[in-house]
Amino acid sequence: MLSFKRAIIFAAFFLVAFILLRRSHASADEPEPFRKPPPKPADLSSEHAGVSHDPSTPSYTPSEDSATKDNTIPAQNVLQDMSKMSLYDKLAYQYPYDVETKFPAYIWQTWKWTPASGEFNFRDQEASWSMQHPGFVHEVITDQVAVHLLKLLYAPIPEILEAYNALPQPVLKADFFRYLILLARGGIYSDIDTFAIRSALEWIPESVPKESIGLVIGIEADPDRPDWKDWYSRRIQFCQWTIQAKPGHPVLRDIVSRITQETLKRKREGTFVSKEKSVVEFTGPAVWTDVIFDYFNDPRYFDISNSQGNVSWANFTGIEKPKKVGDVIVLPITSFSPGVQQMGAKDYDDPMAFVKHDFEGTWKPESERHIGETN
Ligand SMILES: *[C@@H]1O[C@H](CO)[C@@H](O)[C@H](O)[C@H]1NC(C)=O
Ligand SMILES: *[C@@H]1O[C@H](CO)[C@@H](O)[C@H](O)[C@H]1NC(C)=O
């Protein structure tokens, strides 16, 4: 006989599966602002008021993926032999990227308990996301449900599941899960201890066409001080407690293949996290930041032939307005880290403050949470 707990888990799993199967329906129901405005060329970005974009910077070439651009995989392609593809290519095949699709109306969160549980103590935070995003599908996924959901989404790429199962700590699994769910389904991921101050419909400046953007990220840290290395692993650190993405985005594809390969290597070696191999570097904001900069400098996606130099932290330090680079919007530090009272971040009532992160419900040990030290 099924125990009560198992019955609950299965019920939750089938509910999620049901919601995923209704995916196309969900995006058809999207609120008005997610509907496509008349198409405009992506490279007009520099003319958009309120967004800084240097026209001399490398131009974005969204023509990639033309082979995999077809969203509906034809039946005979299913039989294609994936065994000789690289992991990166398998992911591109499984979840192709199309910048012109809508941002899916999903909000993904993870926690030890669902909101239905008596032990769930992030009710206000969770409710703020639902209230700001009527019509969105909002899911709080527990560990047990995550395993089933990933089996469903990544069955054709077993090394992903092997890596997920091999990760020894909840913090690592939680980090990995956000990239996996956004790669497969897109939408918004946000840590359970975040408040939505403003709706995601307002995150991208109105002047920027949504069909030219596939990823929205914020700045976690911009430590303009000589001893920044004592506090942060990167001079500019992008945060991964809140991310908005379209499915298949190449940045997600890259981070998922990096974490998978590193995990399987560490599984063979038997050491997952040590003094030299921190969570921040393995699955957290450091590797996230590296992947994003590598994308900005990747000739597969950007025409860098006549650019003056690499895109680096210097391009984002001190920004006070959203900055568009290719198909990515980088929000200023105030947007996802308001109220930290340092590094130029403004307060919660600033019009650019979108998300408030409490650092309470993170899975991370105190030592991993740099900004938390100022709270
Ligand atoms: C530019 O960025 C790429 C990718 O991050 C890196 O491999 C390369 O070494 C960088 N070049 C310079 C001059 O910093
Ligand atoms: C980044 O900064 C470098 C050096 O100032 C500049 O040449 C490049 O065009 C900038 N790129 C972007 C995307 O802002």
Side-chain angles (χ1 to χ4, degrees):
M1 252 209 53
L2 281 177
S3 72
F4 179 66
K5 197 174 159 201
R6 294 199 117 204
I8 293 282
I9 292 167
F10 280 121
F13 169 60
F14 284 117
L15 186 66
V16 169
F18 174 71
I19 286 162
L20 290 173
L21 291 174
R22 288 183 67 229
R23 179 189 172 213
S24 49
H25 184 69
S27 47
D29 278 344
E30 274 167 4
E32 197 56 39
F34 270 151
R35 297 248 164 83
K36 265 193 199 176
K40 289 180 209 154
D43 272 337
L44 290 181
S45 53
S46 51
E47 290 164 18
H48 298 306
V51 192
S52 57
H53 183 67
D54 182 348
S56 70
T57 58
S59 60
Y60 171 62
T61 48
S63 57
E64 56 113 8
D65 276 6
S66 51
T68 53
K69 206 154 184 178
D70 237 350
N71 240 340
T72 50
I73 299 170
Q76 65 267 36
N77 269 11
V78 174
L79 298 175
Q80 187 171 328
D81 182 11
M82 290 217 293
S83 63
K84 289 181 193 71
M85 291 185 186
S86 69
L87 179 54
Y88 186 91
D89 289 342
K90 281 185 210 173
L91 292 168
Y93 179 77
Q94 185 72 16
Y95 292 114
Y97 173 56
D98 180 0
V99 69
E100 293 186 4
T101 58
K102 296 173 199 164
F103 277 101
Y106 287 126
I107 296 163
W108 303 105
Q109 304 198 282
T110 55
W111 191 232
K112 289 177 246 190
W113 298 287
T114 67
S117 156
E119 313 217 43
F120 184 82
N121 25 10
F122 295 101
R123 249 165 248 294
D124 292 348
Q125 290 91 328
E126 197 250 350
S128 71
W129 286 95
S130 298
M131 266 152 43
Q132 296 280 6
H133 303 89
F136 276 52
V137 173
H138 182 179
E139 287 296 318
V140 179
I141 310 270
T142 61
D143 269 358
Q144 294 96 323
V145 173
V147 176
H148 293 290
L149 182 53
L150 293 178
K151 267 191 203 153
L152 205 75
L153 296 172
Y154 288 96
I157 315 177
E159 53 267 54
I160 300 284
L161 302 172
E162 185 188 350
Y164 183 82
N165 291 327
L167 290 171
Q169 295 171 10
V171 51
L172 299 170
K173 284 191 152 84
D175 276 345
F176 195 25
F177 181 82
R178 72 195 62 191
Y179 310 128
L180 289 168
I181 193 70
L182 289 177
L183 177 62
R185 285 293 172 259
I188 296 161
Y189 169 84
S190 199
D191 276 359
I192 197 71
D193 57 348
T194 54
F195 281 94
I197 300 177
R198 272 169 188 270
S199 165
L201 304 177
E202 296 170 39
W203 293 359
I204 299 176
E206 245 167 54
S207 55
V208 177
K210 292 206 168 57
E211 68 271 25
S212 69
I213 299 298
L215 183 68
V216 182
I217 53 173
I219 293 175
E220 168 171 8
D222 182 6
D224 181 16
R225 47 197 271 179
D227 63 344
W228 65 266
K229 276 200 170 144
D230 299 344
W231 302 91
Y232 297 97
S233 49
R234 300 295 181 273
R235 173 60 184 79
I236 280 262
Q237 203 158 286
F238 296 121
C239 77
Q240 33 93 274
W241 60 73
T242 306
I243 303 168
Q244 186 181 28
K246 290 179 181 172
H249 195 278
V251 161
L252 297 166
R253 195 187 297 161
D254 189 16
I255 194 157
V256 164
S257 42
R258 279 196 214 190
I259 293 174
T260 303
Q261 274 150 0
E262 183 64 22
T263 303
L264 297 179
K265 180 165 157 270
R266 292 185 188 194
K267 185 183 174 188
R268 286 193 297 274
E269 290 167 355
T271 320
F272 278 96
V273 176
S274 62
K275 233 181 175 160
E276 307 74 47
K277 298 173 167 185
S278 71
V279 172
V280 172
E281 298 285 338
F282 185 10
T283 58
V287 62
W288 177 237
T289 301
D290 291 350
V291 164
I292 288 163
F293 279 118
D294 286 352
Y295 178 65
F296 289 153
N297 293 302
D298 188 336
R300 283 178 300 176
Y301 301 108
F302 294 84
D303 175 12
I304 54 176
S305 50
N306 48 11
S307 77
Q308 266 87 58
N310 262 7
V311 180
S312 71
W313 65 269
N315 295 91
F316 301 101
T317 188
I319 61 170
E320 298 200 343
K321 286 186 295 185
K323 180 166 174 141
K324 179 181 184 293
V325 181
D327 64 340
V328 181
I329 286 277
V330 179
L331 299 171
I333 192 164
T334 301
S335 296
F336 289 171
S337 311
V340 294
Q341 287 167 4
Q342 56 170 2
M343 300 182 286
K346 295 174 195 154
D347 221 339
Y348 302 117
D349 55 8
D350 190 88
M352 283 308 295
F354 297 160
V355 164
K356 173 176 181 283
H357 190 210
D358 285 344
F359 297 94
E360 278 165 19
T362 351
W363 307 79
K364 306 184 182 189
E366 198 58 41
S367 59
E368 300 288 355
R369 287 188 261 135
H370 305 287
I371 275 184
E373 282 143 20
T374 63
N375 280 354

